[in-house]
Amino acid sequence: MKDVIDPMWESLARPLARAGFTPNQVTAAGLVLIVIASAAYLWHQSHWVYGLTLACTFVFDALDGAVARQTGLSSKLGGYFDAMVDRYQELVVALSIGWVTGHWALVLLGFSGAMITSYAKARTAIETPVSNTAWPDAFERLERIIYTCVLMVLAGVLPWDWVLPWGLGLYAALCHLTALQRARRAAAILREVDAGRGD
């Protein structure tokens, strides 16, 4: 999906880059917007409103990389900061959904799967240098964001009470399947590294 969506990010980021925003400022603003949207959700408790506001705030959050490319301010520290903020954003969203819906077990399963998916690649990079883009997994962060926004909107507009719990359960299953997919790839990469050392 990145090949389709990235050109859109680039066009949306141009006004921010021209206004003098740095990538880290855009990243931090994205976290603030997520916190505001989630705090509002705790108050209004409307699933579909939360889904729409999340979609808007995550669109803004996705612009930091495009701003970095357009301003020439890409840095390893910026990439690290963005990754850390991404995890906190997912935590804030998970806590908000768990608090409002009471589906804590399903939320925990989903959040843990998302974190293990992220950790699987990060841990592999500790053992051996890996490409950051050669991990074409099924349910990465962008897919998780889109799924969450759509699920919340559907849970708010459809009359069936089962939409949210079943949707959260499917989310958790997809997260853990992706974590296992990454673990399998990591095992293959590290097995090759170990075999090379034996030569």
Side-chain angles (χ1 to χ4, degrees):
M1 295 183 66
K2 287 176 67 65
D3 293 337
V4 177
I5 294 178
D6 278 354
M8 181 180 70
W9 295 156
E10 296 293 332
S11 62
L12 291 173
R14 285 191 193 99
L16 294 173
R18 289 171 184 160
F21 284 95
T22 68
N24 287 347
Q25 287 172 338
V26 176
T27 300
L31 177 59
V32 171
L33 290 174
I34 291 291
V35 170
I36 292 172
S38 298
Y41 177 49
L42 298 181
W43 173 70
H44 61 66
Q45 300 194 356
S46 172
H47 303 322
W48 72 269
V49 170
Y50 189 46
L52 291 178
T53 54
L54 277 183
C56 294
T57 53
F58 274 124
V59 164
F60 184 86
D61 172 66
L63 299 178
D64 51 4
V67 170
R69 289 187 292 274
Q70 293 181 16
T71 58
L73 296 175
S74 297
S75 66
K76 292 186 181 298
L77 177 59
Y80 177 81
F81 179 61
D82 181 47
M84 292 295 291
V85 168
D86 287 348
R87 305 292 81 78
Y88 275 106
Q89 287 177 342
E90 292 191 68
L91 175 61
V92 168
V93 171
L95 289 174
S96 301
I97 294 174
W99 184 274
V100 172
T101 67
H103 297 303
W104 284 109
L106 293 173
V107 168
L108 176 60
L109 280 172
F111 181 73
S112 62
M115 294 305 102
I116 295 171
T117 296
S118 178
Y119 180 75
K121 181 166 67 172
R123 178 63 201 185
T124 308
I126 292 174
E127 301 297 337
T128 186
V130 297
S131 168
N132 192 43
T133 58
W135 296 73
D137 301 301
F139 205 54
E140 298 182 42
R141 185 169 183 266
L142 178 58
E143 288 79 13
R144 295 196 303 268
I145 290 171
I146 294 172
Y147 182 100
T148 301
C149 295
V150 171
L151 173 61
M152 297 308 293
V153 170
L154 291 178
V157 299
L158 294 177
W160 306 302
D161 292 337
W162 54 264
V163 171
L164 194 55
W166 278 91
L168 291 172
L170 179 59
Y171 178 93
L174 290 170
C175 284
H176 283 282
L177 285 173
T178 304
L180 293 174
Q181 181 185 18
R182 281 199 167 178
R184 181 181 179 186
R185 181 181 294 106
I189 292 171
L190 296 175
R191 198 175 292 117
E192 288 184 6
V193 171
D194 288 337
R197 287 174 180 168
D199 296 340

